[in-house]
Amino acid sequence: MNRKLPLQALIEAAVLAALAYIIDILPAIEPFPWVKISLAMIPVLLLSLRWGPKAGMASGFVWGLLQVVLGNAYILTPLQAFIEYFIAFAFIGLAGLFTSRSLSAKTIVLAVFVGCLARYFWHFLAGWVYFGDSAPEGTPAALYSLVINGSAALLTFLACSVVLVLLQKTAPRLFKV
Ligand code: 218
């Protein structure tokens, strides 16, 4: 894990970050504002499982960067943007801690869980600090952020783990370098 990433990993990290960006701007089911059932994390999750956390975090970081530079980010303050687009998206790469030669469905689900939890933890923190004003009267900011970001995390986790497990059953080669 401490060795330099091979060129192929860097190229894949960039291409899959761009793919995530494109999937993310396609229409998706949005039961509430900020709660989206989206498969956009799949390219970065797949890359993380192929190459490990370092490449995964680089890819997530590039995806966040693309959103900021292409004007597709919701920015309230510079620190909020930094947390929600650079840190949160880079943390998806922690899914790569579960990379292995022979991945079981269980390991894939665990990796997706960790990737989603790591990303949405930062959205939860940012939501608590920066989006508390949007909470309904009498609702504490932390609870409001937990409900919004917790449900987004849960739906994303369910959608991405179902699709990635099916993908591994039909095309296991995609998960191996
Ligand atoms: C309560 C609350 N509302 C909005 C946001 C902002 N947010 C939430 C989830 C994901 C993203 C990144 C773009 O998909 C953003 C900016 C929040 N953190 N909390």
Side-chain angles (χ1 to χ4, degrees), residues 43-89:
V44 174
L45 290 168
L46 180 63
L47 174 111
S48 305
L49 286 170
R50 279 170 66 80
W51 292 102
K54 213 163 150 187
M57 291 186 87
S59 188
F61 181 86
V62 172
W63 178 19
L65 181 70
L66 282 172
Q67 295 178 72
V68 172
V69 298
L70 298 177
N72 231 297
Y74 191 85
I75 297 178
L76 294 172
T77 76
L79 182 60
Q80 173 262 341
F82 184 74
I83 294 171
E84 295 212 86
Y85 289 94
F86 296 133
I87 310 243
F89 283 89

Side-chain angles (χ1 to χ4, degrees), residues 137-152:
E137 277 290 311
T139 309
L143 179 65
Y144 169 68
S145 184
L146 185 68
V147 170
I148 296 278
N149 293 300
S151 35

Side-chain angles (χ1 to χ4, degrees), residues 29-44:
I29 302 168
E30 234 176 286
F32 307 101
W34 293 113
V35 179
K36 194 151 95 169
I37 307 179
S38 162
L39 299 173
M41 279 174 67
I42 285 183
V44 174

